Amino acid sequence: RGGSLSRVARMSNDEEARYVADKIFHILDQHELSRRTPKVLLLGVSYKANSKDARNSPAFAIESVLRPQVWVQFHDPYIADFNSVDQWWEAADGCDAIVFLQAHAPYLSPPWKALRDRMASLIALDATARICPPPHPWTFWQIGEEYG
């Protein structure tokens, strides 16, 4: 029986990943960015906030749905393989959208001006419902609602 419970949990994790990926596709389509290969930064690879454990992370399932239509890159301040920049927002260079998958402490109050200066488009999706919203002219989505 324990196996069936973990299978149900994985199914809902997969469904959640598909929901987030579909929301990303929808936002990119609304901004007519899907005509080319848009660049999206997924923020937070770990399974839980402020953790370095990436086992069962939804980030990889989201990436598999997005590719090959979207160029995906990752950042996570707690996992060395996904932290190649001094400041996390440097990873957003040239990105069309950023997606907060974990409410890591460094992500909670993003430096929106620094991000604006680096990104190709001003689109952010918050899948955590804990990120401080950006000022105008950003398009900011939290799961279930839109701001901006």
Side-chain angles (χ1 to χ4, degrees):
R1 275 199 178 213
S4 64
L5 180 60
S6 65
R7 190 170 42 251
V8 169
R10 186 171 344 194
M11 280 177 30
S12 69
N13 285 345
D14 290 345
E15 289 169 6
E16 182 178 344
R18 180 70 199 185
Y19 177 79
V20 172
D22 285 345
K23 183 65 83 173
I24 294 166
F25 282 132
H26 176 74
I27 293 166
L28 295 172
D29 283 343
Q30 275 195 326
H31 291 271
E32 299 182 359
L33 295 170
S34 57
R35 295 179 184 183
R36 56 181 171 77
T37 304
K39 184 177 178 183
V40 173
L41 175 62
L42 300 180
L43 296 162
V45 175
S46 66
Y47 183 71
K48 302 195 299 192
N50 303 315
S51 164
K52 45 180 145 176
D53 185 359
R55 291 175 297 168
N56 300 315
S57 170
F60 305 116
I62 293 167
E63 176 200 26
S64 70
V65 174
L66 293 175
R67 288 191 194 257
Q69 298 97 320
V70 175
W71 191 92
V72 178
Q73 78 180 46
F74 296 102
H75 181 272
D76 193 298
Y78 300 106
I79 301 174
D81 289 346
F82 301 105
N83 187 13
S84 62
V85 292
D86 290 331
Q87 303 293 335
W88 72 261
W89 54 89
E90 294 172 1
D93 281 349
C95 286
D96 294 296
I98 54 175
V99 181
F100 295 92
L101 298 177
Q102 286 301 338
H104 290 326
Y107 297 158
L108 294 178
S109 294
W112 295 111
K113 183 183 179 329
L115 284 163
R116 184 185 68 216
D117 294 343
R118 292 180 172 278
M119 293 179 61
S121 302
L122 303 181
I123 301 169
L125 176 98
D126 176 12
T128 73
R130 294 192 48 211
I131 304 302
C132 177
H136 181 75
W138 284 81
T139 297
F140 182 68
W141 290 69
Q142 286 185 317
I143 294 298
E145 33 189 315
E146 177 190 13
Y147 296 85

